[in-house]
Amino acid sequence: MARSKPATLKDVAALANVSRATAARALNSYGYVGDETAQKVQAAAGKLGYRGNRLAQALRNGQLPIVGCILGDIQNPFFARIAHDIEVLARECGYNLVIGSSEEELGQEVSLLASLRSLSIRGFIVAPTSAENNAHLQSLIAENVPLILIDRVAEGVDCDSVVVDNEGGARKAVEYLIAMGHRRIGLLQDDMRIFTSRERMSGYQTALGTAGIAPDERMIAVSQSTVEHAVDATIRLFSQKMPPTALFTVDSLMTQGALLAFRSMGLSIPHNVSLIGFDDFNLATFTDPQITVVSQPVSEIGRAAARLLFDRLSGKTDAPRKVRFETKLIIRGSVSRRG
Amino acid sequence: MARSKPATLKDVAALANVSRATAARALNSYGYVGDETAQKVQAAAGKLGYRGNRLAQALRNGQLPIVGCILGDIQNPFFARIAHDIEVLARECGYNLVIGSSEEELGQEVSLLASLRSLSIRGFIVAPTSAENNAHLQSLIAENVPLILIDRVAEGVDCDSVVVDNEGGARKAVEYLIAMGHRRIGLLQDDMRIFTSRERMSGYQTALGTAGIAPDERMIAVSQSTVEHAVDATIRLFSQKMPPTALFTVDSLMTQGALLAFRSMGLSIPHNVSLIGFDDFNLATFTDPQITVVSQPVSEIGRAAARLLFDRLSGKTDAPRKVRFETKLIIRGSVSRRG
DNA sequence: AATGCGTGTGAGATCGATCTCACATCTCAA
DNA sequence: TTGAGATGTGAGATCGATCTCACACGCATT
């Protein structure tokens, strides 16, 4: 079937018997246009179902009304929530959202960003994979492309950012474990390249240090942030001769992995092992016992980042703003007193 | 800071002392180009960090290497998984992914689609909100824009689709409840406009009918597909004088909502009430008891849809293919015998 | 010497929307 | 009556990449 190409401005102009320039004026209401002419044009546009070609518009004025968003993994409910909130705000502002997963690979992040930049995308919200390797981010700044860092910051990249108090959250969690009598406290963490992982580990270490507990790397397991990987890592961690008596996990997928691992190992919470997770999740209160977590204001993060971005896009040029949300230890029932 | 605009082909040509045409030939390797010239151009491009403007390319050849994806809500792990899988395949094929949430609003879906179409996007994967109102989808077909329906089909829209056996899955679940002696079986479902909701309800009704159980609309609650709404709807459903003895929920967020609602009402599973959910979820095996579910092969769906789309994009023009995956009843511990 | 082909290159059109000009009118005041 | 200003409109340039066309050269064949 002959697929009728979508109508162009030229078609509209022809139908209305005016020039393209006049048609454009009528449709975008700028400059002088006669009332009657304007009506003719509107009518013609309506009849043809005219819908400007955003590509051509973008080519002309240099930018596409799309914002790019590069996150670790949309399957993580934390990022899913953020992506959703950004998309909603973007839509309100007449933008669409391109999403890419870096899958926590720096290479992926770099190539994704390059690919999106060649689209003349107007701004980016990125959760950088690495705290150090960030030439690609710096070059965005250098070329004045609005960039908002989310969940993580990157050294030497001077731009708006939205993060939470990871260090404090982790510290509170571990201090609580210590106060409950635990000494062999495990840490199940993400790759150390990742900013949040690093900060949360730092909180963990600070808490141990303050309590005079010597760091012990056998207490630390690293895994990718998926339920499956976390299960394996937890099992490894708890298969030692002297396993931890408590575990702190750095995100909700890992917390869920730990839960599944404990069950498969026949370890019962909180009797055999205590657990605190970073980032709350829907069913944290449904398990038995309910899981104690460090919660972060997930619903604020994406919205805050999107607002920062759209401020920049509408021309704001003041100094970069660093938003930092507090975290909160929510005590439920997954930690037992050790004595 | 003067933000140096990205280098254009003209810049490269100028630096290499050739015409734009020649530069283009050298970079895209077509037509005749002298060896020496080609090298000069490559060198110039390298030095300037030239990276073609995909917008201009797209304007010229009519299409942007982006695929659009309109789903109900990325926060639903089901859709998140699908979006993720599509993004991965798209990236492998050199495409980027634009994501939009219809939030199950037809209007939203229509305007999102219009907005993406004006971007000259090359193909779409859509989970249509409504089974009937689909002029916007039909017009895509009419204009030969590749479209893959996912999770749901739409009447009169003749294109590739990927769905699961909703009717059968729901039927098996309800038959099982009936076999376990339940008669007052509740249904917590999504809006009836939604294809899956309708099919799952149909399976529910068929099972009841076959067993000679009269339909009773007091057994049916409708809610949006979020944990919060599902909590409310469940509480309403179970606050009747003669509440159901078992509940079938049509997706995993609603299942989780039902779990939370039951707990807040002090109803224990499976003693006071039995539960089966459609769509498995991470913690379904972690709750006590574990939740019996109808599982669908989530990891296949997005990949299958993406493959169908990229087949179309690479020119395949055979008859629309209708992929349908089976569902499986996974019996765990959330259903008790009634009698 | 005339013709043909293979090779290499540049000028210019094209995609669609926008914007700057220049050129018309028309009105009102000096 | 002339000129200044407001009001309308169209021709053409522009954004950046691509592609068609025409033109050049060299070498080999008749």
Side-chain angles (χ1 to χ4, degrees), chain A:
Chain A
M1 314 345 40
R3 102 307 20 321
S4 46
K5 291 259 157 245
T8 74
L9 184 62
K10 198 156 82 173
D11 302 330
V12 174
L15 182 57
N17 256 316
V18 297
S19 69
R20 285 151 41 245
T22 302
R25 272 188 285 257
L27 294 172
N28 303 319
S29 40
Y30 72 93
Y32 293 109
V33 200
D35 281 358
E36 202 179 330
T37 316
Q39 307 236 330
K40 264 195 311 182
V41 174
Q42 304 283 6
K47 181 170 326 179
L48 296 176
Y50 172 74
R51 227 190 276 132
N53 179 329
R54 285 162 78 196
L55 235 51
Q57 294 166 337
L59 176 61
R60 186 91 221 301
N61 70 28
Q63 286 174 320
L64 204 51
I66 289 188
V67 298
C69 192
I70 301 182
L71 303 174
D73 174 12
I74 342 172
Q75 283 186 81
N76 187 322
F78 173 75
F79 286 127
R81 175 63 193 259
I82 287 176
H84 175 263
D85 291 341
I86 293 174
E87 199 257 342
V88 168
L89 261 92
R91 203 185 318 127
E92 284 172 10
C93 298
Y95 283 76
N96 289 118
L97 179 65
V98 178
I99 281 197
S101 286
S102 67
E103 316 217 327
E104 305 300 0
E105 298 278 347
L106 179 60
Q108 191 92 258
E109 178 181 315
V110 171
S111 74
L112 213 40
L113 195 60
S115 153
L116 296 185
R117 287 195 59 187
S118 63
L119 281 173
S120 313
I121 274 186
R122 299 191 65 154
F124 293 91
I125 295 179
V126 177
T129 286
S130 160
E132 285 99 19
N133 299 93
N134 44 38
H136 56 304
L137 298 176
Q138 287 172 343
S139 88
L140 278 184
I141 310 276
E143 300 187 20
N144 265 336
V145 179
L147 167 68
I148 316 292
L149 296 181
I150 195 166
D151 188 46
R152 315 165 181 176
V153 299
E155 279 170 25
V157 180
D158 189 35
C159 65
D160 295 336
S161 62
V162 180
V163 298
V164 304
D165 178 18
N166 294 294
E167 208 275 345
R171 192 161 31 75
K172 277 181 281 191
V174 177
E175 280 170 354
Y176 173 67
L177 288 171
I178 293 169
M180 293 293 275
H182 292 272
R183 310 243 106 202
R184 287 206 314 287
I185 298 175
L187 173 68
L188 176 51
Q189 69 165 358
D190 232 348
D191 195 303
M192 269 291 286
R193 276 170 313 146
I194 300 174
F195 174 79
T196 46
S197 192
R198 204 178 285 194
E199 285 216 321
R200 289 169 197 172
M201 177 178 193
S202 152
Y204 163 88
Q205 289 174 326
T206 304
L208 290 186
T210 306
I213 301 177
D216 180 349
E217 63 186 25
R218 286 167 305 182
M219 295 293 108
I220 298 182
V222 172
S223 107
Q224 283 177 48
S225 174
T226 69
V227 172
E228 295 73 20
H229 284 99
V231 167
D232 294 347
T234 305
I235 291 177
R236 259 181 278 121
L237 190 58
F238 281 81
S239 300
Q240 306 176 68
K241 295 130 267 180
M242 289 282 280
T245 63
L247 179 64
F248 173 58
T249 54
V250 304
D251 80 22
S252 69
L253 291 180
M254 296 175 106
T255 309
Q256 295 184 30
L259 286 172
L260 296 176
F262 288 149
R263 200 204 28 234
S264 83
M265 298 177 79
L267 293 175
S268 121
I269 302 174
H271 310 300
N272 306 124
V273 60
S274 293
L275 178 66
I276 299 186
F278 204 108
D279 198 15
D280 203 357
F281 55 101
N282 273 337
L283 286 192
T285 63
F286 199 80
T287 54
D288 180 25
Q290 300 182 23
I291 310 300
T292 294
V293 298
V294 176
S295 83
Q296 44 186 346
V298 194
S299 64
E300 303 291 333
I301 298 178
R303 297 227 308 277
R307 269 195 297 264
L308 287 175
L309 179 58
F310 290 111
D311 278 357
R312 292 294 172 196
L313 287 178
S314 57
K316 223 176 192 168
T317 56
D318 45 0
R321 280 163 297 175
K322 314 286 185 188
V323 176
R324 200 176 97 157
F325 290 108
E326 286 309 307
T327 52
K328 198 165 71 185
L329 178 64
I330 301 183
I331 296 179
R332 299 202 267 242
S334 61
V335 175
S336 66
R337 180 163 301 272
R338 195 88 183 176

